[in-house]
Amino acid sequence: MAVTISQVHGREIFDSRGNPTVEVDVRLSDGGFGRAGVPSGKSTGENEAVELRDGGSRLGGKGVLKAVGNVNGEINEHLQGVSPFNQAEIDHQLIELDGTPNKGRLGANAILGTSMAVARAAADSLHEPLYRYLGGVDLELPQTFHNVINGGEHADNDIDIQEFMITPIERKSFRDGFEKIVNVYHQLQANFEKEGLSTGLGDEGGFAPNLPSDEAAIQELVKAIKDAGYEPRKEIGIAFDAAASSFAQKDGTYLFEGKKRSVAEMTAYYEDLLKKYPAIVSIEDPFGENDWDNFSKFTQKNKDRVQIVTDDNVCTNPKLIRKAIKAGLATSFLIKLNQIGTVSETMEAIRLARKNNCTVMVSHRSGETTDDFIADFSVAMHAEQLKAGAPARGERLAKYNELLRIEEELGDQAKIAYFPDNVDLD
């Protein structure tokens, strides 16, 4: 007897910022079960799929009971009796049922929660781990990027750049690399305590001290890496997400560190950082989401010196990724499931980037749940990179701990990704 979906049930839960979000359970006719929690971003691009919120006075208007109602009503009724084993068809039906270009009617949070939970239920029915169900035999553990100093929209401090990250370059295994990151993270905390700086945490588990400048954050990272006994760039690299859309102005300038700066001044600022701090291996969103021309020029000039990642400009949307590839916008694409709203569309975005010799970085959101879907997903998709926050806070550690389990399960077959060859690390 064919296995089918017997029930799709949604509920309102709360994310790591204490805001409501959607959780979906999918039950199959053979007892297979899948559950998925949907993350929520704070620094969001204007091209992202619509996260349906209730509005009104309850929970500051952020309730998701409308989206939950759509799961328990239309989505549940539509998917009952449908086979769970064709992910692309499931997602296509959800998109057609919604009927809008941005998933705004049913809500991308309702659709994504269902899409992820169906994948989990199908894997459970087949008694396979999720990474194996989605990825088959071509599996790889990603290089991880850890936001250890939070700024911008992710922290209440004076730093404009949103994320300062560290990444393990030289490592024998996933665990070896992660242990190095943990050592640097604890060293950074010890250094901040000695300097009398706050060790309070931002949204993604990184420290959020007030520093005299954004450059000072990079100096602190270089010091912590060395103090922990590692060589910057060779063993531990530094990356940052400027999230420049958050300080881009309507007149084309950028309000950065208290003063308006031209595109030329911002370009000179970034290039000066690259010269002074060779440990920097990756830059994300150095210009605003509508500033395609200057973003492309920066990439073409600096792509051999540093990985350049785009997020807000493309929002995991295959149509926008095609445009970005044609424009030479970046060398790597950030991938967020809830930006596009289904598992199969996210997979399409990854395949498109790969076909055009670009890397991908699967990403969490600042408002997370303890759902570890993206850990399995990054391994299944052979994603070169993953960023999921600092090695702190349960919703961030859930992803890293799952990767440790996966490495253990794969044993001698466990492969780990290394930094892309197009950036010279020597």
Side-chain angles (χ1 to χ4, degrees), residues 50 80 82 89 100 107 146 256 303 424:
V50 173
Q80 282 185 6
V82 174
E89 178 57 27
T100 68
H146 305 260
F256 185 74
K303 63 183 179 181
D424 185 7

Side-chain angles (χ1 to χ4, degrees), residues 97-301:
L97 183 65
D98 174 80
T100 68
N102 59 8
K103 301 178 179 65
R105 192 179 73 81
L106 296 175
N109 40 358
I111 291 172
L112 177 61
T114 303
S115 178
M116 293 164 62
V118 167
R120 275 228 174 89
D124 185 55
S125 175
L126 296 173
H127 306 291
E128 290 186 343
L130 180 61
Y131 65 85
R132 183 75 69 185
Y133 172 70
L134 291 175
V137 297
D138 188 18
L139 307 169
E140 184 176 76
L141 288 138
Q143 178 171 0
T144 48
F145 286 71
H146 305 260
N147 181 8
V148 293
I149 299 180
N150 293 187
E153 296 291 324
H154 290 171
D156 184 19
N157 59 13
D158 297 332
I159 303 172
D160 289 326
I161 288 175
Q162 187 163 277
E163 301 176 10
F164 292 90
M165 295 171 275
I166 52 176
T167 182
I169 300 294
E170 189 175 273
R171 62 208 191 284
K172 300 172 185 175
S173 63
F174 178 82
R175 173 173 285 278
D176 177 55
F178 187 67
E179 288 184 4
K180 288 178 178 178
I181 293 300
V182 169
N183 289 336
V184 175
Y185 182 75
H186 290 314
Q187 184 65 57
L188 184 64
Q189 179 179 10
N191 288 356
F192 282 158
E193 289 172 349
K194 288 178 184 176
E195 295 164 22
L197 294 170
S198 169
T199 55
L201 302 184
D203 284 350
E204 297 181 355
F207 303 111
N210 277 318
L211 297 171
S213 67
D214 288 71
E215 183 178 349
I218 298 174
Q219 292 170 345
E220 291 285 358
L221 291 184
V222 171
K223 184 177 188 302
I225 291 167
K226 290 180 177 178
D227 289 350
Y230 304 117
E231 185 176 339
R233 192 173 180 95
K234 181 182 178 184
E235 293 178 278
I236 304 289
I238 293 172
F240 64 83
D241 173 12
S245 293
S246 64
F247 49 84
Q249 306 298 295
K250 291 182 179 179
D251 62 1
T253 63
Y254 290 85
L255 184 59
F256 185 74
E257 294 187 334
K259 72 173 186 177
K260 276 194 173 185
R261 298 178 187 241
S262 67
V263 168
E265 288 175 316
M266 288 306 301
T267 299
Y269 174 81
Y270 295 136
E271 291 179 346
D272 184 56
L273 291 181
L274 291 176
K275 290 177 184 176
K276 291 166 70 174
Y277 306 100
I280 298 173
V281 297
S282 182
I283 297 176
E284 181 183 329
D285 283 352
F287 297 97
E289 62 190 294
N290 296 312
D291 197 354
W292 283 61
D293 185 48
N294 290 306
F295 202 133
S296 297
K297 288 177 180 176
F298 182 80
T299 296
Q300 295 311 306
K301 184 178 179 183

Side-chain angles (χ1 to χ4, degrees), residues 350-371:
I350 291 172
R351 285 193 296 267
L352 182 59
R354 282 269 175 64
K355 286 179 181 178
N356 289 276
N357 299 315
C358 294
T359 59
V360 296
M361 184 185 290
V362 173
S363 175
H364 64 159
R365 300 307 301 258
S366 54
E368 267 292 339
T369 74
T370 53
D371 190 311

Side-chain angles (χ1 to χ4, degrees), residues 318-383:
K319 292 181 180 178
L320 293 174
I321 290 175
R322 287 188 184 92
K323 178 182 174 183
I325 290 168
K326 188 174 182 180
L329 189 73
T331 62
S332 185
F333 291 93
L334 205 71
I335 301 293
K336 296 173 179 173
L337 283 142
N338 80 323
Q339 285 183 327
I340 190 65
T342 66
V343 172
S344 57
E345 287 174 292
T346 309
M347 293 168 75
E348 180 187 351
I350 291 172
R351 285 193 296 267
L352 182 59
R354 282 269 175 64
K355 286 179 181 178
N356 289 276
N357 299 315
C358 294
T359 59
V360 296
M361 184 185 290
V362 173
S363 175
H364 64 159
R365 300 307 301 258
S366 54
E368 267 292 339
T369 74
T370 53
D371 190 311
D372 55 18
F373 190 97
I374 61 170
D376 284 72
F377 187 72
S378 64
V379 173
M381 294 298 101
H382 220 279

